[in-house]
């Protein structure tokens, strides 16, 4: 009997053994394109700094022409460790420096040119900014990136084969002498007029052919395989299509790069990428803390308001892009106090927004789990481990995942991540919240990608459900997190029209307090009730106050000279004079145009300010349209006391206006003037029509 029992026990235990040890279900097959290991590391960086610093810092320009003397480069207290400290404290992971901008000046003592720090008075020509930054980055655990402008408005051989050798030699220097470089940045602005060794001429090139990028990139990868290539050519990451740091809500990492290299993709498509792109070319959103990329003292009070910075964070990192935030370095060679203060505020808000993750203790369930296998369990999205994920079976391209709370929970942020190693898949999804037993849809969205963060008004939910409604293949989700970010009260906006009527606006629920003497407003300051007239020069400061939660906004400040009440456009060489008031009405959004096919540029306008003022600059607000048309690229500006004798106060280009159509501020020596003459000499794209939002002056008090 015993003899017979033993084999049956063996058989039974073998059966138990084999069934508990069922063959694991294979992971989903990747959906191409997929990121390389290098690109995955780059995705993980998420947030890093740009530093624009060069001769432009000292000449007060955005683009140098190429003839500026290297002797102008003379920072009085350059300290790259200060940059690194501030960047680190702001939660960023690296710094990309403008080693060479379009004017050709090099921040390192290149062996191939005299146009560098070695011929500047800084450290008696013995300094090397790139080296100092590389060392500071190392000390602070940051990665170093390099911006090397392909366009060089100084080099005599730019446009000819000799320049390519020069460009590649410089790349070799930068990629071999300064340790690891995580990203090399090739800006798209290329070709145009410049100094070019004294030729002072226009040089145009075909960017894609001239540089032979295939070969240049091969050289880069041979020298420095860990460097990610950005920008023009068959790069590994793309521009996001604007200089405002905003990605599309729909944002695919894949791009039809072949089409792009064949000139068939308009840059506005970069905001969204291509669902059918053949290569993984994720977006990087670049933006500056101020309107310009380089430091200009006049922009000290124009550092972007904190809410705008927070929006940028959510609209880049929260929309499947990396954020490259520029911090202009000032003439001392330091991050300016104004920018430092804002970065601290940003870091504090981001930290507070993501302080406590709320799904971690919820009960998770999904409508489908791959092979019913624990390896792909729904719980994987909340276990904070990067290398596992919730996946569905191969044929399942839509599924729901639900998170139930023990008790109703306040939520206003949801963060989702796909396991992009296997490709970007999700096309559409929505989010529902169970509020008092009723399911309510709180978001209807498109792509996820490496990271997507949704912001919505605070809700008290018993449960949250994410319904993925369409995808390129089965679902592979690595993380879903929820937070309850503190309320951010938006600071008020301030506007003053031609007649001095001041209007302050904020969210209807909030109150506004303001001051007119430059002091910081408090709850005891003037309470704004309705628009009021203030014609004199004034600094208006205002705050919003959310009385329900007892929270203040940051302060908004606006500086005004005397109002433009007495201003008049007296003559214009074209355009309808009857509506010309729009360029002096205090509202940059109302525009007026001049020039046409019959009236080719240059075209000019004369403004009478009604009385004599002492001024030291003028401002031109270009028309704000998405396609960036009708922009003035070259100008002349004259003043007069009597409309007979004119003095030319300023002339030149509005650099980079095409990519960054911000208010242009040009300063000059203080002078008395009653009449202004503004000449539009040339336009972007050589159109004959230009449109102006607003013309103003800087008063010298
Ligand atoms: C632009 C350049 O022309 C600007 O000067 C700046 O460097 C910005 C980041 O890219 O296209």
């Amino acid at each position: 009997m015993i003899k017979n029992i033993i084999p049956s026990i063996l058989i039974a235990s073998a059966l138990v053994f084999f069934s508990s040890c069922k063959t694991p279900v294979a992971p989903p097959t990747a959906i191409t394109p997929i990121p390389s290991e290098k690109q995955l590391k780059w995705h993980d960086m998420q947030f890093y700094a740009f530093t624009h610093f060069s001769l432009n810092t000292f000449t007060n320009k955005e683009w140098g022409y190429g003839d500026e003397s290297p002797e102008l480069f003379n920072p009085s207290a350059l300290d790259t460790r200060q940059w690194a400290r501030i960047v680190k404290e702001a939660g960023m992971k690296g710094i990309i420096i403008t080693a060479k901008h379009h004017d050709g000046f090099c921040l390192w003592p290149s062996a191939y040119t005299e146009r560098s720090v070695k011929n500047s008075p800084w450290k008696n020509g013995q300094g090397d900014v790139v080296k100092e930054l590389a060392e500071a980055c190392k000390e602070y655990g940051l990665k170093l990136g390099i911006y090397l402008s392909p366009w060089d408005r100084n080099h005599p051989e730019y446009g000819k084969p000799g320049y390519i050798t020069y460009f590649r030699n410089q790349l070799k220097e930068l990629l071999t002498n300064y340790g690891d470089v995580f990203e090399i940045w090739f800006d798209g602005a290329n070709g145009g007029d410049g100094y070019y060794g004294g030729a002072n001429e226009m040089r145009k090139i075909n960017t894609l052919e001239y540089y032979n990028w295939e070969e240049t990139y091969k050289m880069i990868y041979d020298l420095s395989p860990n460097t990610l290539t950005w920008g023009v050519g068959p790069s590994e990451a793309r521009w996001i299509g604007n200089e405002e740091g905003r990605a599309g809500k729909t944002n695919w990492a894949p791009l039809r790069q072949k089409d792009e290299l064949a000139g068939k993709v308009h840059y506005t498509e970069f905001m969204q990428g291509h669902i059918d792109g053949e290569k993984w070319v994720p977006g990087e959103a670049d933006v500056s803390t101020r309107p310009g990329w380089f430091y200009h003292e006049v922009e000290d009070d124009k550092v972007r308001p904190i809410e705008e910075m927070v929006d940028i964070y959510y609209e880049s990192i929260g929309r499947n892009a990396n954020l490259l935030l520029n911090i202009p370095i000032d003439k001392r060679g330091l991050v300016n106090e104004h920018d430092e203060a804002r970065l601290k505020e940003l870091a504090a808000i981001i930290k507070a927004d993501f302080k406590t993750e709320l799904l971690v203790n919820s009960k998770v369930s999904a409508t489908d789990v791959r092979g019913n296998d624990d390896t792909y369990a729904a719980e994987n999205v909340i276990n904070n481990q990067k290398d596992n994920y919730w996946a569905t079976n191969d044929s399942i391209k839509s599924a729901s995942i639900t998170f139930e709370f023990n008790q109703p929970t306040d939520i206003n942020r949801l963060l989702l991540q796909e396991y992009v190693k296997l490709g970007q898949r999700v096309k559409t999804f929505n989010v529902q919240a169970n509020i008092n037993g009723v399911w309510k849809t709180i978001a209807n969205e498109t792509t996820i990608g490496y990271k997507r963060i949704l912001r919505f008004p605070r809700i008290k939910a018993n449960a949250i459900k994410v319904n993925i409604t369409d995808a390129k293949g089965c679902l592979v989700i690595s993380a879903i997190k929820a937070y309850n970010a503190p309320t951010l009260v938006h600071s008020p906006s301030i506007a003053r029209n031609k007649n001095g009527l001041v209007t302050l606006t904020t969210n209807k629920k909030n109150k506004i307090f303001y001051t007119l003497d430059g002091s910081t407003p408090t709850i005891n300051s003037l309470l704004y009730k309705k628009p009021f007239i203030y014609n004199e020069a004034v600094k208006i400061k205002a705050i919003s106050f959310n009385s329900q939660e007892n929270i203040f906004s940051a302060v908004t400040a606006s500086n005004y000279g005397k109002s433009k009440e007495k201003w008049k456009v007296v003559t214009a060489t074209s355009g309808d004079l009857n509506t010309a008031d729009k360029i002096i009405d205090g509202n940059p959004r109302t525009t007026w145009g001049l020039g046409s096919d019959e009236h080719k540029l240059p075209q000019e306008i004369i403004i009478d300010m009604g009385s004599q003022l002492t001024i030291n600059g003028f401002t031109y607000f270009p028309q704000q349209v998405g396609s960036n048309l009708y922009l003035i690229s070259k100008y002349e500006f004259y003043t007069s006391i009597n409309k007979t004798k004119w003095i030319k106060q300023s002339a030149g280009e509005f650099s980079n206006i095409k990519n960054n159509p911000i208010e242009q501020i040009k300063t000059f020596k203080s002078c008395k003037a009653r009449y202004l003459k503004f000449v539009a000499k040339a336009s972007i794209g050589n159109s004959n029509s230009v449109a102006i939002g607003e013309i103003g002056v800087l008063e010298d008090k």
Side-chain angles (χ1 to χ4, degrees), residues 320-392:
N320 193 28
N322 274 5
L323 173 56
L324 173 60
L325 178 61
N326 180 61
I327 313 167
I329 302 300
D330 69 16
K331 284 188 186 172
R332 296 169 303 175
L334 297 174
V335 173
N336 192 264
E337 292 75 357
H338 295 83
D339 306 78
E340 181 180 4
R342 190 63 87 244
L343 289 167
K344 277 199 176 130
E345 288 169 11
L346 177 66
I349 290 181
I350 298 305
K351 200 167 162 204
D353 282 8
F354 299 101
K355 194 167 161 224
T356 314
E357 204 287 302
L358 300 165
L359 298 184
V360 69
N361 293 318
S362 65
K363 192 169 148 254
V364 194
S365 57
T367 52
D368 187 81
V369 172
R370 188 172 186 79
N372 247 336
D373 189 326
D374 282 352
T375 323
Y376 308 106
E379 284 80 6
N380 288 347
V381 302
I382 58 166
N383 71 2
N384 238 336
Q385 287 181 26
K386 271 174 70 180
D387 274 326
N388 60 22
Y389 46 83
W390 160 54
T392 58

Side-chain angles (χ1 to χ4, degrees), residues 598-613:
E598 300 100 82
H599 299 95
K600 297 210 172 16
L601 301 183
Q603 295 289 321
E604 65 179 49
I605 44 173
I606 293 176
I607 296 170
D608 176 3
M609 298 192 287
S611 60
Q612 198 167 296
L613 296 178

Side-chain angles (χ1 to χ4, degrees), residues 481-527:
K481 300 176 179 191
Y483 303 89
N484 181 26
T487 305
L488 180 65
V489 180
H490 279 60
S491 44
S493 53
I494 306 177
R496 191 177 79 168
N497 75 6
K498 187 172 187 256
N499 302 323
L501 188 73
V502 178
T503 310
L504 309 180
T505 33
T506 188
N507 185 312
K508 266 195 243 115
K509 285 188 237 148
N510 302 332
K511 288 186 175 139
I512 301 175
F513 295 97
Y514 68 98
T515 61
L516 300 170
D517 59 2
S519 63
T520 305
T522 65
I523 201 154
N524 300 320
S525 306
L526 299 161
L527 173 67

Side-chain angles (χ1 to χ4, degrees), residues 77-114:
L78 187 129
D79 181 4
T80 50
R81 296 183 66 248
Q82 184 246 17
W83 313 0
R85 174 183 59 75
I86 292 168
V87 165
K88 183 82 183 184
E89 285 169 4
M92 301 189 229
K93 300 288 190 300
I95 303 181
I96 300 183
I97 185 166
T98 49
K100 182 183 90 167
H101 201 254
H102 309 329
D103 61 59
F105 178 76
C106 302
L107 291 183
W108 80 104
S110 169
Y112 301 96
T113 180
E114 292 305 305

Side-chain angles (χ1 to χ4, degrees), residues 43-184:
H43 276 292
D44 287 341
M45 286 184 70
Q46 294 275 277
F47 186 24
Y48 37 88
F50 222 172
T51 47
H52 273 64
F53 183 49
S54 190
L55 277 179
N56 292 342
T57 314
F58 301 88
T59 55
N60 203 18
K61 290 185 193 170
E62 278 289 292
W63 283 1
Y65 186 70
D67 60 350
E68 304 79 8
S69 164
E71 285 176 18
L72 296 168
F73 185 83
N74 196 12
S76 52
L78 187 129
D79 181 4
T80 50
R81 296 183 66 248
Q82 184 246 17
W83 313 0
R85 174 183 59 75
I86 292 168
V87 165
K88 183 82 183 184
E89 285 169 4
M92 301 189 229
K93 300 288 190 300
I95 303 181
I96 300 183
I97 185 166
T98 49
K100 182 183 90 167
H101 201 254
H102 309 329
D103 61 59
F105 178 76
C106 302
L107 291 183
W108 80 104
S110 169
Y112 301 96
T113 180
E114 292 305 305
R115 191 170 172 71
S116 82
V117 279
K118 75 183 170 204
N119 285 314
S120 79
W122 178 63
K123 295 200 164 172
N124 292 321
Q126 301 303 305
D128 182 340
V129 185
V130 179
K131 183 158 171 253
E132 290 194 13
L133 182 61
E135 285 167 2
C137 282
K138 212 166 176 189
E139 182 182 336
Y140 282 86
L142 296 166
K143 294 189 181 178
L144 175 75
I146 302 279
Y147 174 126
L148 183 73
S149 170
W151 186 21
D152 190 319
R153 296 175 102 182
N154 169 268
H155 202 276
E157 288 186 274
Y158 173 81
K160 303 173 187 160
Y163 174 70
I164 298 301
T165 312
Y166 173 76
F167 179 67
R168 290 188 184 162
N169 281 336
Q170 293 204 318
L171 262 176
K172 273 184 217 152
E173 287 184 313
L174 291 165
L175 293 175
T176 47
N177 294 338
Y178 298 98
D180 281 345
V181 171
F182 83 94
E183 180 170 326
I184 186 93

Side-chain angles (χ1 to χ4, degrees), residues 496-566:
R496 191 177 79 168
N497 75 6
K498 187 172 187 256
N499 302 323
L501 188 73
V502 178
T503 310
L504 309 180
T505 33
T506 188
N507 185 312
K508 266 195 243 115
K509 285 188 237 148
N510 302 332
K511 288 186 175 139
I512 301 175
F513 295 97
Y514 68 98
T515 61
L516 300 170
D517 59 2
S519 63
T520 305
T522 65
I523 201 154
N524 300 320
S525 306
L526 299 161
L527 173 67
Y528 176 77
K529 291 189 182 128
K530 57 175 195 281
F532 58 90
I533 297 277
Y534 204 96
N535 282 314
E536 293 310 306
V538 64
K539 181 166 200 156
I540 306 177
K541 285 190 171 178
I543 43 166
S544 305
F545 178 62
N546 173 330
S547 50
Q548 278 150 354
E549 293 190 51
N550 219 358
I551 314 176
F552 285 104
S553 71
V555 177
T556 321
S558 279
N559 271 324
Y560 294 100
K562 255 183 180 322
S563 75
K564 292 176 179 168
E565 205 179 1
K566 290 189 270 165

